[in-house]
Amino acid sequence: HWAYADSLSAQAANSSAVRQKLRTRARYEYANNCYLHGMIRTLATRTIGTGPTLQVKTGDQTIDNLIERAWARWFKAAKIAKKLHTMRIARCRDGEVFGLMINNPNLPGPVQLDLSVVEADQVYSPFNFADTPTHCDGIDFDVHGNPIQYYFAKQHPGSGYGTGIAVADFDKHAAQFVIHQFQEDRPGQRR
């Protein structure tokens, strides 16, 4: 029972290789186990449902209704509920998920804010940086442990569009535009 006990830090115990193996196995199980598949989809459906709604209370009912309807049109056009549902599934199955706030000029209306869902496999270090107090597998942190920026591969490493990802094939995004969801079970855990 105690054979695999260790004294690794949270960051070392959740290394890139460990997370990759767990994600691969969890995705396989999700795809091939109808009970697990149903439980995770039910969790996402019960958690997200049709998505959040906006309630504005300025004191002027006409303005409140106008803002709420405009928000609902944007929310539906950007398919945010569907994306939140996908994120909830990925977080449960893969252990973590990333959302990137982007500008989408194809959205109707003046608001072009959109959410792009990104699998955890696409966030990693472009230069094979070793994990340090200010860097952890695709995420740069300040000295206080706050994320500063994230490195997103332009293509999923398992996409089959080439044998390797070049440094130029990464985009850096400021932390203020990134949503990173994961369950932090230990102090110092960053992914």
Side-chain angles (χ1 to χ4, degrees):
H1 176 73
W2 302 105
Y4 296 106
D6 61 49
S7 59
L8 295 173
S9 70
Q11 201 166 321
N14 285 319
S15 69
S16 178
V18 168
R19 289 191 324 275
Q20 170 67 36
K21 184 170 284 203
L22 289 172
R23 277 194 308 267
T24 303
R25 290 178 178 176
R27 288 175 185 159
Y28 181 84
E29 193 66 26
Y30 175 80
N32 294 289
N33 182 328
C34 60
Y35 295 108
L36 178 64
H37 189 273
M39 286 188 290
I40 292 176
R41 289 196 64 82
T42 299
L43 171 69
T45 300
R46 297 280 173 101
T47 305
I48 304 301
T50 59
T53 56
L54 180 68
Q55 183 178 24
V56 180
K57 293 191 174 207
T58 63
D60 184 336
Q61 189 64 42
T62 305
I63 291 176
D64 295 350
N65 290 338
L66 203 107
I67 294 169
E68 289 170 6
R69 282 195 300 272
W71 186 87
R73 281 192 302 273
W74 163 78
F75 190 83
K76 184 176 180 182
K79 300 178 180 151
I80 301 296
K82 179 181 175 184
K83 293 170 185 176
L84 293 174
H85 192 267
T86 301
M87 288 179 74
R88 187 62 189 106
I89 289 171
R91 179 179 170 209
C92 184
R93 183 193 58 217
D94 301 350
E96 65 180 334
V97 67
F98 293 85
L100 180 60
M101 290 179 271
I102 61 169
N103 182 49
N104 183 351
N106 293 325
L107 286 177
V111 178
Q112 296 180 337
L113 176 66
D114 202 351
L115 177 66
S116 177
V117 181
V118 181
E119 277 196 317
D121 306 48
Q122 277 182 261
V123 178
Y124 59 95
S125 301
F127 302 107
N128 292 325
F129 290 143
D131 286 351
T132 67
T134 58
H135 183 82
C136 176
D137 196 23
I139 308 170
D140 288 334
F141 296 89
D142 65 17
V143 294
H144 304 291
N146 302 307
I148 301 170
Q149 66 184 1
Y150 293 79
Y151 296 87
F152 285 79
K154 290 184 180 181
Q155 296 174 355
H156 192 287
S159 66
Y161 295 128
T163 56
I165 302 292
V167 173
D169 292 322
F170 279 84
D171 287 324
K172 289 190 287 188
H173 295 282
Q176 65 187 7
F177 301 112
V178 177
I179 300 166
H180 180 199
Q181 293 183 335
F182 71 102
Q183 178 66 43
E184 185 177 353
D185 292 322
R186 293 180 60 188
Q189 181 181 341
R190 295 181 168 178
R191 290 199 62 180

